[in-house]
Amino acid sequence: MYPQVICHVMGSVDGRLLTERWTEPFDGKSKGDLTGVYAAIGRRLNTDAWMFGKRTLCEGYFPGIFHAQDSTPLAHPSPYVAPGSSERRFVAVDPDANILYESSTVRGDSIVVILPETAPAVYLEYLRKRGISHLFAGARGDDLRTAMRTLAETFGVRSLSLQGGGIIDGAFLQEGLIDELSLVVYPGIDGSADSTSIFHCIGRRDPTQGQSLELLSAQTMEYGVVWLRYKFHKNS
Ligand SMILES: NC(=O)c1ccc[n+]([C@@H]2O[C@H](COP(=O)([O-])OP(=O)(O)OC[C@H]3O[C@@H](n4cnc5c(N)ncnc54)[C@H](OP(=O)(O)O)[C@@H]3O)[C@@H](O)[C@H]2O)c1
């Protein structure tokens, strides 16, 4: 059993992700007005959990690093469900097991961290003391299929919105774990060939793995923003 995964992302018309590189709105509106439309749609998706990639989370919320004095892992790591967690969860993915948390919540939602089985025992103890739930995704912490299964079976998460960045979106795409794409198109251009795209797959020749998209709806929102919803068909 896996949660239904909706990849919710805002891209420029050339499919790029980094808002600071996009052209300005033509009519003097701020970019924040337009990205606010993306945030409001995200709330409307009403999923049990939502999630960022590590870089997005650390840039926006938790830039500090935990330095483990002792790197010894647990012999048999198992998921930990912190008591008193909120109904809606925020999922963090941390293959290096070293994010320093200033809070056990993101925007009021209790954090669940996806970790490698090799995470130091002292780090797991730190997370428990902070009231932060965690689960394991293989030896390198990148086995997203196992992580999603545990999220569904141990944490009861039936739906999740994956909210970027492009590298984690690309990793979910490669694994065939995305059920729906909620693409919010910003009326502007990036234009750089080397800019991160909304699915930024690294080191794989065929990242889409025979998947296809079916358009479910297309809606014009405020400020010329367009909201496109697609269903993923997994053919292979
Ligand atoms: N426009 C939007 O809607 C939107 C949304 C979100 C973020 N953003 C922007 O996007 C930027 C960050 O995006 P990004 O693509 O550079 O980074 P990201 O997706 O947030 O995070 C990248 C991290 O994911 C890790 N990773 C790769 N494969 C993984 C796997 N299978 N399992 C677990 N972790 C895995 C990478 O680890 P390794 O380093 O070990 O490879 C890397 O640390 C920020 O500037 C943010 O503001 C824009």
Side-chain angles (χ1 to χ4, degrees):
M1 186 168 91
Y2 298 98
Q4 185 211 15
V5 175
I6 303 173
C7 178
H8 177 59
V9 65
M10 188 171 209
S12 56
V13 296
D14 52 342
R16 307 295 173 177
L17 188 84
L18 303 178
T19 50
E20 65 275 13
R21 297 194 181 196
W22 298 344
T23 50
E24 293 293 332
F26 77 97
D27 54 1
K29 289 270 181 324
S30 77
K31 277 187 191 171
D33 288 333
L34 280 70
T35 55
V37 176
Y38 164 73
I41 294 171
R43 288 189 290 274
R44 275 170 56 185
L45 294 176
N46 207 18
T47 49
D48 293 343
W50 58 293
M51 158 171 187
F52 283 149
K54 180 165 186 175
R55 208 168 287 162
T56 301
L57 178 64
C58 293
E59 272 180 20
Y61 292 88
F62 305 125
I65 290 180
F66 181 95
H67 295 283
Q69 302 298 328
D70 178 355
S71 61
T72 312
L74 288 180
H76 303 289
S78 60
Y80 171 70
V81 184
S85 294
S86 63
E87 209 169 300
R88 190 162 198 248
R89 311 283 188 147
F90 174 82
V91 180
V93 54
D94 182 9
D96 315 304
N98 66 1
I99 297 177
L100 193 67
Y101 293 94
E102 278 144 33
S103 166
S104 62
T105 61
V106 171
R107 294 187 209 149
D109 298 328
S110 296
I111 297 169
V112 181
V113 194
I114 299 172
L115 293 169
E117 286 158 353
T118 51
V122 289
Y123 185 64
L124 303 180
E125 184 55 26
Y126 158 77
L127 292 177
R128 279 174 184 256
K129 281 194 179 147
R130 267 227 157 258
I132 296 178
S133 302
H134 44 273
L135 59 90
F136 298 91
R140 292 199 306 261
D142 62 353
D143 181 349
L144 296 171
R145 204 159 269 281
T146 295
M148 289 302 107
R149 201 181 307 119
T150 309
L151 207 52
E153 291 172 0
T154 306
F155 292 85
V157 171
R158 288 155 304 159
S159 58
L160 173 130
S161 61
L162 169 67
Q163 304 201 3
I167 292 176
I168 199 68
D169 290 353
F172 270 76
L173 176 70
Q174 288 180 346
E175 278 302 319
L177 282 167
I178 303 177
D179 299 292
E180 193 177 312
L181 172 62
S182 164
L183 173 61
V184 181
V185 183
Y186 174 93
I189 300 169
D190 177 321
S192 310
D194 62 351
S195 208
T196 310
S197 45
I198 55 173
F199 292 104
H200 204 78
C201 297
I202 295 172
R204 192 109 149 223
R205 278 199 168 179
D206 180 17
T208 54
Q209 298 288 304
Q211 298 171 87
S212 304
L213 295 182
E214 175 189 356
L215 181 67
L216 297 177
S217 63
Q219 222 176 313
T220 303
M221 313 299 285
E222 283 172 289
Y223 313 124
V225 170
V226 177
W227 181 26
L228 303 168
R229 295 188 79 161
Y230 295 91
K231 177 180 170 178
F232 271 76
H233 288 263
K234 295 164 192 178
N235 301 323
S236 55

